[in-house]
Amino acid sequence: MHRFLFLLIAILFIQTISEAQQADSVKAVLNEIVVTATKSETPLYAIGSSVSVITSKDISERQARTVIDILREEPGLSVIEQGGPGKLSNVFMRGANSNHTLVIVDGVTMNDASSPNNAFDFSMLNTNDIARIEIVRGPQSTLYGSDALAGIINIITKRGGTSSRYLIESEAGSNNYYNGKISAAGSIGRINYFINAGKRGSAGISASDAKFGNSEKDGYGSESLTSRFDIGLPANLQLDLIYKFSKSTTALDQSGKFGDDPNYDYNIEEHLFKTGLTYSGFENRWKQQLNASYIKRFSHSLDQTDQLHPSTSSDSFNKAERIKLDWQNNLSFFENNLITLGAEIERERAKTSYYSTSEWGPFYTEFPEQSMNTTGLYFQDQLSLQSRFFVTAGLRYDNNEKFGGVTTYRIASAYLIQTTGTKLKMSYGSGFKAPSLFYLFDPAFGNPDLKPETSRGYDAGIEQIFDNGNYKIGVTYFDMKLQNMFGFDSNFRTVNIAEAASSGIEFTASAGNLRNFSLSLNYTYNKTNDDYNLSPDYNKPLLRRPLHQANFILNYKLNERANFGMQIRYSGKRDDKDFSSWDVVRVTMPDYTLINLTASYKIFHNLEMNARIENLFNKQYEEVLYYGTLGRSFYIGLSFDF
């Protein structure tokens, strides 16, 4: 109750200090259209969920080359890279596990069906083709099904347009880093097209922390291709065709303090196909979308013997596929009311194999090819009352051939206070995560009787606008419970056994038009807790989730040619585990602050030079215990746009 009292006091305080503004002015500032929160084009002022939007302009100004780098600066998210760029990269949203966030690219589910926990690895995902990223925090399974226990990260690629545009970029930097891309966008008759090809890599740093004497560098390299064609057809039809390809190779190390391994490599290749057909009828009152997608992923890790490990080797292979059909209907036959109805059919398929040798002899295990079908039906109603009170409510039922049915729900509301420029918001919902194929069927660890993990969560907050939108602040309180979480019994068999809780506050503030300055600030307080009373970590924080996080982003536009930026990122103390000794020890890792600088200058109207310095003060830190991170790094590049 004291938390709601805090919010009430904050509301009264804001109302007292605010300048009078008209509701139309508030709507003009919050009129940005977002899609992820409702699966339909909805203005931000009407959304009760906690939403962040990252635009291509944000990505360009901050010179973020990977998705993981731009996500680090968002409230409610904590990010880790296990050994520097190009290595395993995960996101924890509001303290939940990394596999509790659903990752979508152009409507296609990206979570890895061959991974034991279905988590998504961000290491290959660059920003070359991204138009915007929408982040919705809180349980979102009502519209999106499994894996959306804590929220969604929706990545939307660029489209072509009526005018032709060609872009060439190249960049080089520390550790023999290179990055290049070429893209083309435009239209031919009824066809809008966007094509992008890129290549990126580095000699790297030691994946095991260099401060323990690990000196062998673990480089990485990746290449990608994106093609998108939007075709206007007769009879109010539009056809969208998307193909994405990515491939990467990265060198790895063993875990532990002294992990150097000169010939441990990991390769991954991914193909994504999507086709979508959109129809608008009855004077645009009935909009239908029929989508079909297919994603295929291969991964292979090979560790050969060497002088440091003369009797140790391993060979692992994973293959995963996901096929999905979804049909969505948006009905707006009644004024101020939008109903969304949808049906989905999804099939996951995966197989893995693992072989290793050690001083204890050879070991081999195989996870034979298995598949799983899920059918989902969902309903949502969006209601607007007097253009100031907005309610969204939804219900979903999923039926899985392995564990049966599960029902999820969600309600979100927003209210605009006309005289103060204040938006109040609230959401409550449930989520679920289906057990992975590995957890269900693996010969050693699997359990076909598993039930889904579940979540219940709510948030409530305020967003305040000052000076016609030049200044904005927001605060949100959130609380989430996770139940039936996957754990292991005494025989290492997967069971529904664990529970956890997460709560906290997200604060955001931004200002623009300050004599060519713009700035934003966010702070996250996130308290997590292991609630399983038989766990050795009972009543302790969840691993690798800092209690405090903050980001400060400053941009200064000197003139039409020159632009400067600074990003300051603070990550508080967090716990990890040391597995290097027989008795596993829980340790607290120190906090750290990083400062990055960026600059760009337009030499000509279509030629721009950019430069950046990351980790300006060469801070030594770890995101994962005993794994390396980049020191001070310099980068410079050119961009030719014509």
Side-chain angles (χ1 to χ4, degrees):
M1 183 62 68
H2 66 283
R3 294 160 180 163
F4 289 104
L5 182 60
F6 164 80
L7 288 176
L8 179 60
I9 293 173
I11 292 172
L12 295 175
F13 174 74
I14 289 174
Q15 286 182 304
T16 301
I17 67 172
S18 297
E19 296 181 2
Q21 297 180 346
Q22 297 298 319
D24 288 344
S25 175
V26 178
K27 288 183 180 181
V29 174
L30 297 176
N31 202 39
E32 183 172 13
I33 300 297
V34 295
V35 176
T36 311
T38 59
K39 268 196 173 182
S40 61
E41 295 182 350
T42 306
L44 192 57
Y45 64 78
I47 293 177
S49 301
S50 182
V51 177
S52 295
V53 177
I54 304 165
T55 65
S56 59
K57 180 175 180 291
D58 298 327
I59 294 171
S60 177
E61 287 181 347
R62 302 176 202 175
Q63 297 187 29
R65 303 305 182 221
T66 66
V67 171
I68 206 76
D69 285 337
I70 200 74
L71 293 180
R72 291 181 188 279
E73 299 170 348
E74 293 304 308
L77 305 184
S78 54
V79 173
I80 61 169
E81 284 182 320
Q82 199 162 312
K87 307 302 185 289
L88 179 67
S89 304
N90 291 133
V91 172
F92 302 98
M93 185 179 291
R94 286 185 169 176
N97 291 340
S98 59
N99 60 328
H100 291 160
T101 297
L102 180 64
V103 181
I104 298 173
V105 175
D106 289 327
V108 180
T109 299
M110 301 298 292
N111 295 51
D112 187 359
S114 66
S115 166
N117 63 4
N118 278 140
F120 178 70
D121 176 11
F122 285 85
S123 61
M124 282 201 307
L125 212 52
N126 58 51
T127 60
N128 289 348
D129 58 356
I130 294 178
R132 63 194 280 120
I133 301 173
E134 296 182 358
I135 303 167
V136 186
R137 292 175 284 273
Q140 303 294 324
S141 288
T142 302
L143 287 178
Y144 293 94
S146 179
D147 297 329
L149 281 84
I152 294 175
I153 298 173
N154 184 17
I155 299 164
I156 303 166
T157 58
K158 296 177 180 178
R159 296 174 178 262
T162 55
S163 59
S164 297
R165 183 185 180 190
Y166 305 93
L167 179 66
I168 300 173
E169 290 185 355
S170 63
E171 188 178 40
S174 300
N175 303 308
N176 294 324
Y177 171 85
Y178 63 89
N179 181 38
K181 79 170 187 178
I182 182 169
S183 65
S187 64
I188 302 175
R190 290 176 173 266
I191 303 174
N192 290 344
Y193 64 87
F194 173 79
I195 301 172
N196 180 88
K199 195 166 186 177
R200 180 173 63 96
S202 169
I205 59 173
S206 175
S208 292
D209 201 327
K211 71 181 180 182
F212 299 109
N214 301 291
S215 58
E216 179 260 337
K217 289 191 174 184
D218 297 294
Y220 69 93
S222 68
E223 51 193 60
S224 63
L225 172 70
T226 298
S227 60
R228 177 167 189 156
F229 301 91
D230 302 315
I231 307 169
L233 301 176
N236 295 325
L237 290 170
Q238 178 171 311
L239 178 65
D240 302 329
L241 301 173
I242 299 173
Y243 170 67
K244 290 175 64 71
F245 164 81
S246 57
K247 183 178 181 180
S248 72
T249 298
T250 185
L252 302 177
D253 277 340
Q254 302 292 333
S255 59
K257 292 182 181 179
F258 312 107
D260 260 355
D261 196 324
N263 53 9
Y264 188 4
D265 296 315
Y266 177 66
N267 299 277
I268 185 168
E269 181 176 319
E270 187 175 84
H271 301 263
L272 181 155
F273 303 86
K274 182 190 176 184
T275 179
L277 186 65
T278 302
Y279 168 75
S280 297
F282 296 93
E283 297 179 341
N284 291 325
R285 294 181 180 273
W286 183 6
K287 184 176 181 180
Q288 298 185 62
Q289 292 176 294
L290 182 62
N291 299 311
S293 62
Y294 173 69
I295 185 168
K296 191 172 188 176
R297 180 184 287 114
F298 307 91
S299 63
H300 180 216
S301 62
L302 177 64
D303 181 17
Q304 303 180 62
T305 57
D306 55 73
Q307 290 183 348
L308 295 175
H309 311 90
S311 61
T312 302
S313 67
S314 65
D315 190 344
S316 176
F317 174 79
N318 289 20
K319 176 184 176 182
E321 296 175 307
R322 189 189 303 271
I323 303 172
K324 187 173 183 179
L325 296 173
D326 64 87
W327 179 38
Q328 180 178 321
N329 297 266
N330 291 336
L331 308 172
S332 54
F333 289 101
F334 302 101
E335 188 176 0
N336 299 321
N337 184 237
L338 175 63
I339 293 176
T340 300
L341 300 169
E344 299 176 349
I345 302 174
E346 182 180 79
R347 181 180 181 86
E348 297 175 76
R349 184 163 53 221
K351 67 176 182 179
T352 67
S353 64
Y354 177 79
Y355 174 77
S356 67
T357 61
S358 67
E359 55 266 33
W360 291 284
F363 173 77
Y364 177 76
T365 182
E366 180 180 10
F367 173 63
E369 184 170 295
Q370 296 283 356
S371 63
M372 181 167 61
N373 296 330
T374 304
T375 302
L377 301 171
Y378 59 88
F379 166 84
Q380 178 182 262
D381 191 4
Q382 298 180 66
L383 184 64
S384 171
L385 300 176
Q386 297 182 342
S387 298
R388 65 181 66 177
F389 183 54
F390 309 91
V391 179
T392 300
L395 186 69
R396 182 186 181 105
Y397 176 78
D398 285 271
N399 185 267
N400 182 282
E401 65 173 327
K402 304 302 180 184
F403 60 78
V406 57
T407 300
T408 51
Y409 54 87
R410 177 176 169 272
I411 183 169
S413 62
Y415 181 74
L416 294 180
I417 301 177
Q418 298 184 35
T419 57
T420 63
T422 305
K423 173 186 168 182
L424 307 180
K425 61 180 183 178
M426 180 280 295
S427 71
Y428 179 80
S430 61
F432 82 97
K433 177 176 179 59
S436 67
L437 292 169
F438 180 89
Y439 284 157
L440 286 169
F441 301 116
D442 182 77
F445 306 102
N447 177 4
D449 297 324
L450 286 175
K451 298 298 182 183
E453 295 182 307
T454 60
S455 68
R456 299 286 187 276
Y458 70 89
D459 55 35
I462 311 163
E463 297 176 11
Q464 178 65 45
I465 295 172
F466 302 95
D467 190 25
N468 293 318
N470 287 326
Y471 307 94
K472 292 183 284 187
I473 63 171
V475 60
T476 301
Y477 172 79
F478 64 89
D479 189 284
M480 182 167 55
K481 306 293 184 185
L482 300 165
Q483 296 180 316
N484 289 336
M485 297 172 68
F486 305 133
F488 302 97
D489 63 15
S490 58
N491 296 318
F492 301 102
R493 184 169 177 259
T494 309
V495 291
N496 294 103
I497 196 171
E499 297 182 4
S502 176
S503 61
I505 294 173
E506 296 159 350
F507 172 80
T508 61
S510 64
N513 297 328
L514 297 174
R515 296 184 179 179
N516 297 329
F517 282 95
S518 63
L519 59 88
S520 64
L521 168 71
N522 65 70
Y523 164 75
T524 303
Y525 171 84
N526 191 182
K527 182 180 180 181
T528 62
N529 196 69
D530 187 333
D531 284 352
Y532 177 47
N533 57 12
L534 297 181
S535 167
D537 297 315
Y538 177 59
N539 264 342
K540 295 180 180 178
L542 302 179
L543 299 178
R544 300 175 183 172
R545 282 79 148 179
L547 183 65
H548 303 280
Q549 282 191 142
N551 293 280
F552 176 78
I553 302 165
L554 176 69
N555 194 76
Y556 175 59
K557 190 172 183 178
L558 178 63
N559 50 45
E560 291 301 317
R561 291 179 177 268
N563 193 84
F564 300 92
M566 178 174 65
Q567 302 90 39
I568 303 175
R569 186 171 82 247
Y570 171 78
S571 181
K573 295 179 180 179
R574 63 253 179 253
D575 288 355
D576 208 334
K577 285 191 174 181
D578 186 351
F579 294 92
S580 61
S581 60
W582 181 257
D583 294 326
V584 177
V585 179
R586 190 180 179 104
V587 299
T588 299
M589 301 174 66
D591 60 349
Y592 59 88
T593 300
L594 302 178
I595 298 177
N596 302 329
L597 300 178
T598 62
S600 64
Y601 182 79
K602 282 195 174 185
I603 303 172
F604 304 109
H605 76 280
N606 59 354
L607 179 63
E608 183 174 88
M609 182 175 65
N610 57 73
R612 69 184 193 278
I613 305 174
E614 295 184 355
N615 194 358
L616 176 64
F617 295 107
N618 200 31
K619 176 68 177 179
Q620 303 299 306
Y621 68 102
E622 291 177 333
E623 293 182 335
V624 181
L625 187 65
Y626 301 142
Y627 282 89
T629 54
L630 283 175
R632 185 188 298 113
S633 304
F634 301 89
Y635 307 90
I636 188 168
L638 289 172
S639 175
F640 184 41
D641 189 347
F642 61 98

